[in-house]
Amino acid sequence: MLGFVRTDNDALVTCLGDPQRAVPAYRELLRRGAGARDAIRAGLSHADAAVREGCCRLLDHMVDVESMGQLIAMADDPDASVRIAAFHALACDRCKGDVCAPGADRVLEPGLRHLASDPDPRARAMAAELVGKFVHDDARAAEALRASHERDPSPAVRKKAGWYVPGGPIHERTRRAGPGRARIGV
């Protein structure tokens, strides 16, 4: 790869923190798939928040059962961009292929906690998406979304939470395909 002194997985993970090399490193790690997963998991504990964020984004596409606990733990990362990437990876089913998304028993509590009190409105908005996955199955999710829709200080968070509350457009479009998995447009 042009511009890389080393191209082993660990070196590419470190390059996720370099704005000049992050995109090609991300693409190459994604191309390597499961062969790069150990280095990506290790990158979740990197000192550079950009590396941790990139690793969360990569795990959105290549998470496995062994990585899920680490990805869930990233919801409590001190950096908002990492929390946002973790919430997206936990909420988004499109990129997962055949991997089962984590159930409410594993991710609803961090989602509820961050929806209610995360200091970053972008993280609260992504937490709303995660909590919204469980709105049909768990009364706590519906109540938290309703409270956020009515009282969050950010108009963007109030709007997003409103999509998922009973009567909201996403709530009305979704039908359950199983616990924690929505089917859109059914």
Side-chain angles (χ1 to χ4, degrees):
M1 290 174 48
L2 188 61
F4 291 96
V5 175
R6 290 180 37 217
T7 59
D8 59 278
N9 293 336
D10 294 326
L12 290 173
V13 165
T14 299
C15 288
L16 294 171
D18 178 349
Q20 300 296 324
R21 294 189 173 101
V23 171
Y26 178 92
R27 288 181 180 151
E28 179 60 18
L29 288 163
L30 191 58
R31 188 191 68 74
R32 291 180 184 186
R37 201 176 284 135
D38 287 342
I40 293 166
R41 283 186 203 123
L44 292 173
S45 61
H46 197 279
D48 187 340
V51 173
R52 297 191 310 272
E53 177 187 1
C55 290
C56 287
R57 290 182 24 239
L58 282 160
L59 285 176
D60 181 31
H61 298 277
M62 59 175 62
V63 72
D64 62 352
V65 174
E66 295 171 26
S67 304
M68 193 61 72
Q70 289 176 280
L71 187 56
I72 292 167
M74 300 312 290
D76 291 322
D77 193 88
D79 188 271
S81 64
V82 177
R83 294 192 306 273
I84 292 164
F87 283 128
H88 173 81
L90 294 168
C92 179
D93 292 337
R94 276 177 278 167
C95 302
K96 304 292 185 294
D98 294 335
V99 175
C100 290
D105 60 317
R106 297 193 66 195
V107 298
L108 185 56
E109 286 300 327
L112 292 169
R113 187 173 66 254
H114 286 276
L115 178 60
S117 63
D118 196 286
D120 189 285
R122 298 166 305 144
R124 291 194 309 274
M126 285 308 304
E129 288 188 26
L130 179 59
V131 172
K133 287 179 64 168
F134 304 102
V135 70
H136 295 280
D137 301 325
D138 194 302
R140 296 173 303 158
E143 182 52 39
L145 289 163
R146 193 174 293 111
S148 183
H149 177 58
E150 293 171 1
R151 297 186 291 272
D152 195 277
S154 167
V157 176
R158 289 193 307 269
K159 180 179 180 179
K160 187 171 266 191
W163 295 345
Y164 292 93
V165 296
I170 293 178
H171 183 276
E172 295 304 310
R173 277 196 334 248
T174 56
R175 298 290 177 259
R176 303 319 280 162
R181 296 184 66 102
R183 190 177 330 178
I184 305 296
V186 177

